[in-house]
Amino acid sequence: MRATLNLAYTLERGPFYLSVNEAALRNPDETSTPIVLFSGSFSYEVKSETPAERKNSIHQGIDNWQADLLAYQEIISNKFLGKTSEEKTVVPNVFAMSAAI
């Protein structure tokens, strides 16, 4: 059995959903290291009358990826890792993005 915490944040651009999961990282020597896995998603409503407006709205959501990644990193750093804004946390090689239409 593993622990999971699901949270929802209301941000200026829209909702941000965050899951915090207990997990294990398998090492090359077949041992495992306990870790905490953070995964988040931003939800954007696509409001449009025409296909062109829908396409533009989708592109605007995608164009927010850098601001969304920064918001994600700040929430993890400040709320969970206890770091201040001066202490930058780098999350290497752990970014995935998906769009559901």
Side-chain angles (χ1 to χ4, degrees):
M1 187 175 241
R2 300 214 181 245
T4 298
L5 175 64
N6 295 308
L7 302 166
Y9 290 87
T10 302
L11 302 180
E12 189 175 314
R13 284 188 309 280
F16 168 58
Y17 302 100
L18 178 66
S19 292
V20 183
N21 298 288
E22 175 186 359
L25 182 65
R26 184 164 301 211
N27 300 314
D29 64 357
E30 298 301 318
T31 61
S32 62
T33 302
I35 62 170
V36 176
L37 176 66
F38 297 94
S39 59
S41 64
F42 292 85
S43 181
Y44 292 99
E45 186 175 349
V46 177
K47 297 179 184 177
S48 60
E49 299 278 329
T50 67
E53 289 174 348
R54 185 174 16 254
K55 180 180 175 184
N56 187 40
S57 182
I58 291 169
H59 281 281
Q60 286 177 341
I62 292 170
D63 288 343
N64 287 332
W65 77 266
Q66 290 175 315
D68 290 345
L69 178 58
L70 181 62
Y72 170 84
Q73 289 176 324
E74 286 178 355
I75 289 171
I76 300 302
S77 295
N78 298 334
K79 306 285 185 192
F80 293 93
L81 302 179
K83 302 220 178 207
T84 64
S85 59
E86 292 84 35
E87 299 174 285
K88 298 292 181 185
T89 299
V90 177
V91 183
N93 304 322
V94 233
F95 182 73
M97 183 175 193
S98 66
I101 301 172

